[in-house]
Amino acid sequence: MLVLTTPAAPAPAVGSLRVRRLAGLALLAVVLVGACLASIAVGAKAIPLGGVWHAVFTPTGLEDDIVVRSLRMPRTLLGVLAGGALGLAGALIQGHTRNPLADPGLLGVTNGAAFFVVIGIYVFGVGSLYGYVWFAFAGALAASVAVFLLGSVGRGGPTPVTLALAGAAVSALLAALTSAVVLIDVQTLDAYRFWAVGSLAGRDVEIAGQVIWFLGAGALLGLAGAPALNALSLGEDVARSLGHSVQRTRVMGVVAITLLAGSATAACGPIAFVGLVVPHVVRSFTGPDYRWLLPASALAGGALLLVADVIGRVVVRPGELQVGIVLALIGGPFFVWLVRRRKMVAI
């Protein structure tokens, strides 16, 4: 008897996918380098690339050398670190919650940092960025721990749904407490609003030095959990059958997100849209494999934050528009366009 069979669809070429991913990472690296050069060269005082080269490698104490080395290079370094941390944290939180609209603030990181900064100003009289950093980081850590503990209540332990619900509840509570404190005291409101707008301006290399160790630890934890996160995206039962501990993977993920997003928020203030938009953009060429998605999100996050910072210096020159405002103005319409133009990749 003759049996007719339908030929199987050809499998996607593994080699071509790998080439596309490598090309995407290389392009992001080039864009990041270009953004760094623009961040150093562009500002209220324009400095040609020749002057930038002289200031970086053969400084002689000229005015351009001082501007580049004492102001713009530390600002650029912090932008790369904070943007990379937010991009990486965004990819991690979307993977762990399996929610395409999740961002690092879902765990209460942003509102926890804001509340502790307000307490530092109102109760302890903290008035410098160096003091804000530690209060903000402590608040981000405390809020994340509270969200994780609340999301772990019950027999099932922490799940994407319970973590999201706990995060929404804790964030709403902290936002209300923050508003109550700043409305009580006008001086606290005046000091707080400069931190809350989100900016790279006025941050020197010492600020980056205070948070770089936490950022490094968070990045290592996040990248190390990529294989387990791949397995978890197939379902908890599949992850367990492959030998991964679901609870340990979630704990590592929450710790990594807290360290990354908490450090970036502490150093620069609340900066939105980087952790939300970046993973969707890079997923277009990396696919759902977190071994590629996570480093690509870090590169893209650093580039996006620096580009937004440069735009903020140019549009109102000789003044400056803070990077948090620029990202809100650009990120909102871009994300709406992204959602409407193509279906979001399922997580």
Side-chain angles (χ1 to χ4, degrees):
M1 183 176 69
L2 181 64
V3 178
L4 298 177
T5 60
T6 303
V14 176
S16 62
L17 179 59
R18 182 179 178 84
V19 169
R20 188 177 69 180
R21 288 168 170 170
L22 288 173
L25 287 176
L27 178 61
L28 287 176
V30 171
V31 172
L32 179 59
V33 172
C36 290
L37 292 176
S39 178
I40 296 174
V42 176
K45 176 179 174 58
I47 300 177
L49 290 180
V52 172
W53 179 273
H54 180 274
V56 173
F57 295 103
T58 57
T60 55
L62 299 176
E63 182 181 356
D64 287 351
D65 298 343
I66 296 173
V67 170
V68 167
R69 296 182 69 88
S70 63
L71 297 177
R72 295 187 183 173
M73 286 180 64
R75 181 172 182 165
T76 301
L77 172 63
L78 185 60
V80 172
L81 293 175
L86 291 172
L88 181 54
L92 287 171
I93 189 65
Q94 289 180 12
H96 280 282
T97 62
R98 298 164 76 178
N99 180 356
L101 296 179
D103 70 350
L106 185 67
L107 290 180
V109 170
T110 301
N111 287 314
F115 178 63
F116 271 54
V117 166
V118 166
I119 293 300
I121 297 171
Y122 180 68
V123 178
F124 298 98
V126 177
S128 68
L129 288 172
Y130 305 107
Y132 294 165
V133 166
W134 297 111
F135 276 93
F137 187 76
L141 180 62
S144 297
V145 170
V147 169
F148 186 79
L149 291 177
L150 288 174
S152 302
V153 174
R155 297 176 57 185
T159 66
V161 174
T162 58
L163 286 175
L165 292 175
V170 172
S171 295
L173 174 62
L174 291 172
L177 293 175
T178 301
S179 299
V181 174
V182 298
L183 289 175
I184 290 173
D185 186 74
V186 176
Q187 291 182 342
T188 300
L189 173 61
D190 290 338
Y192 167 71
R193 62 191 177 92
F194 288 106
W195 176 84
V197 72
S199 176
L200 297 176
R203 275 73 170 174
D204 57 25
V205 71
E206 188 173 341
I207 296 291
Q210 287 180 305
V211 300
I212 191 170
W213 302 108
F214 302 107
L215 290 174
L220 288 175
L221 277 176
L223 294 173
L229 199 53
N230 279 338
L232 197 61
S233 66
L234 301 175
E236 295 185 3
D237 292 336
V238 174
R240 291 190 184 95
S241 68
L242 294 175
H244 297 286
S245 170
V246 174
Q247 186 166 2
R248 184 174 67 242
T249 300
R250 292 212 192 283
V251 170
M252 287 179 58
V254 170
V255 171
I257 294 163
T258 300
L259 290 173
L260 291 166
S263 300
T265 304
C268 305
I271 295 178
F273 286 106
V274 176
L276 179 64
V277 172
V278 161
H280 291 290
V281 174
V282 301
R283 203 176 274 116
S284 63
F285 69 86
T286 65
D289 191 338
Y290 284 92
R291 294 172 299 177
W292 295 88
L293 177 62
L294 295 181
S297 295
L299 290 174
L304 175 61
L305 191 60
L306 285 183
V307 169
D309 187 46
V310 171
I311 292 174
R313 300 184 219 173
V314 172
V315 293
V316 292
R317 185 184 287 182
E320 182 173 323
L321 197 62
Q322 283 75 13
V323 67
I325 299 174
V326 175
L327 281 170
L329 294 174
I330 297 176
F334 175 79
F335 192 65
V336 171
W337 172 84
L338 183 69
V339 172
R340 292 179 61 85
R341 182 172 178 82
R342 56 189 292 270
K343 291 178 67 178
M344 285 189 179
V345 179
I347 296 179

